[in-house]
Amino acid sequence: MELVIVTGLSGAGKSAAVDALEDIGYFCVDNMPPELIPTFAALILKSKEKRDRVAVVADIRLGASFSSLFNVLGDLENMNIKYKILFIDADNDVIMRRYQETRRKHPLADMFDSPSIAEAIQKEREILLPARQRADYIIDTSQVKSSQFKERVANLFLDDATKAMKVYCISFGFKYGAPKEADLVFDVRCLPNPFYVPELKSHTGLDEEVRKFVMKFDQAQGLKVKLLDLLDYLLPLYRSEGKSQLTIAVGCTGGKHRSVVFAELINKHLLENGAYSSVFHRDMNR
């Protein structure tokens, strides 16, 4: 059985993560007290209805009992149940805006005399810090569209979660901010920009004419060789350290041309060399 424990900040997108997991065949249970997870897992294993993929959500809504999460992880290991922790995060101001738009009450709001959502969010972040540090996967939803977010979650768990490290190649625009979940960030703004070529401005890095323009320069060819050589060296090191997910972010000014070309190039190289890799373009259609 593959067990995914979903946790993270209130308002960051845990419900959307559960929706995406259900779409790919996971049996999901929301708001489960951590101390019940081993018992629940045992019942699933004994059930006549075979369920190979199971996800549970445990978060701050459970109050003080959430702190028992780490105590039960050892129980799961003793039961030979392999689990992954998926942590959903977002910037404080993004979460605050979402609460203001939905007019919902934050789970920790009653802890404070003032009605400030900011204090509740910060307190929750402090409480959840150990869970974030322990997480196998972290997704920051601050600047990710709903469709992109569901794709990210689905790609993480479509295959066997015990297989080799999952690599994400993300293109982005620096004008919109770098992805906070990125492990490696490469800046390709040093290359000639197709944006200033009238016939290429409205195209993207997925178009052949843009790719040819970007890669025709010696500096692009040189950067390609050095980047791929660096990644060929780094990926085995990350795998040997047991890293479950590696996010490689490639940025240009707007995230539409150069970064898309290089993210695609890197992903293609990794796939050809046996890596478990996928690519998505965060800002390409902005």
Side-chain angles (χ1 to χ4, degrees):
M1 181 177 68
E2 296 177 19
L3 175 63
V4 177
I5 301 173
V6 181
T7 189
L9 276 293
S10 302
K14 297 187 296 296
S15 296
V18 169
D19 290 342
L21 289 169
E22 286 183 336
D23 287 344
I24 60 173
Y26 274 79
F27 177 68
C28 302
V29 179
D30 190 15
N31 207 16
M32 176 172 287
E35 59 268 22
L36 296 183
I37 294 177
T39 302
F40 171 72
L43 290 173
I44 291 293
L45 290 173
K46 294 177 182 179
S47 174
K48 294 181 180 180
E49 186 174 354
K50 186 176 177 60
R51 298 189 186 277
D52 295 327
R53 295 179 172 183
V54 178
V56 298
V57 180
D59 56 34
I60 204 65
R61 290 173 295 170
L62 300 167
S65 66
F66 176 79
S67 61
S68 64
L69 174 63
F70 300 105
N71 297 331
V72 305
L73 297 181
D75 296 335
L76 293 174
E77 293 165 359
N78 292 335
M79 296 166 64
N80 293 319
I81 294 176
K82 296 180 180 179
Y83 63 87
K84 296 290 184 181
I85 298 176
L86 171 62
F87 192 95
I88 310 300
D89 201 352
D91 290 341
N92 286 12
D93 58 340
V94 173
I95 295 176
M96 186 181 304
R97 185 178 69 247
R98 291 172 182 172
Y99 268 100
Q100 290 170 340
E101 291 173 351
T102 61
R103 299 186 178 182
R104 295 193 63 191
K105 181 180 177 182
H106 191 281
L108 299 183
D110 291 338
M111 292 181 61
F112 303 93
D113 295 330
S114 67
S116 173
I117 299 176
E119 291 181 281
I121 295 173
Q122 186 56 40
K123 181 62 177 179
E124 181 182 22
R125 190 174 294 282
E126 294 171 4
I127 295 173
L128 294 182
L129 180 59
R132 193 183 196 283
Q133 294 173 333
R134 186 74 179 266
D136 297 282
Y137 307 108
I138 299 173
I139 299 181
D140 188 300
T141 67
S142 301
Q143 299 194 49
V144 177
K145 296 179 181 178
S146 177
S147 59
Q148 292 177 327
F149 176 51
K150 290 184 177 181
E151 182 181 358
R152 291 286 308 275
V153 174
N155 285 339
L156 275 176
F157 300 106
L158 274 173
D159 291 343
D160 183 1
T162 64
K163 68 182 300 184
M165 177 180 67
K166 174 66 178 178
V167 182
Y168 275 106
C169 301
I170 302 175
S171 70
F172 72 94
F174 276 100
K175 65 189 294 184
Y176 304 113
K180 293 186 179 299
E181 69 268 39
D183 298 291
L184 299 171
V185 178
F186 297 113
D187 184 351
V188 295
R189 289 176 294 182
C190 56
L191 303 177
N193 192 350
F195 179 84
Y196 297 109
V197 180
E199 59 269 27
L200 299 179
K201 181 178 179 179
S202 61
H203 291 269
T204 74
L206 296 181
D207 296 318
E208 182 66 14
E209 54 265 50
V210 173
R211 189 195 67 79
K212 286 183 177 179
F213 175 86
V214 172
M215 299 308 300
K216 74 178 181 179
F217 297 97
D218 290 341
Q219 52 264 52
Q221 292 296 330
L223 181 60
K224 170 185 172 181
V225 172
K226 292 184 181 297
L227 275 184
L228 298 184
D229 183 59
L230 176 62
L231 293 173
D232 288 342
Y233 177 77
L234 288 177
L235 261 64
L237 300 182
Y238 282 118
R239 289 195 190 98
S240 66
E241 288 298 314
K243 192 169 180 62
S244 299
Q245 171 183 311
L246 182 71
T247 301
I248 302 170
V250 185
C252 62
T253 304
K256 185 175 182 177
H257 298 109
R258 295 165 292 179
S259 61
V260 173
V261 170
F262 267 80
E264 288 283 338
L265 184 154
I266 291 172
N267 183 62
K268 181 175 183 292
H269 174 80
L270 296 179
L271 289 173
E272 290 174 347
N273 286 274
Y276 182 37
S277 178
S278 64
V279 62
F280 85 97
H281 307 294
R282 193 191 73 180
D283 303 322
M284 184 177 69
N285 295 317
R286 288 201 182 208

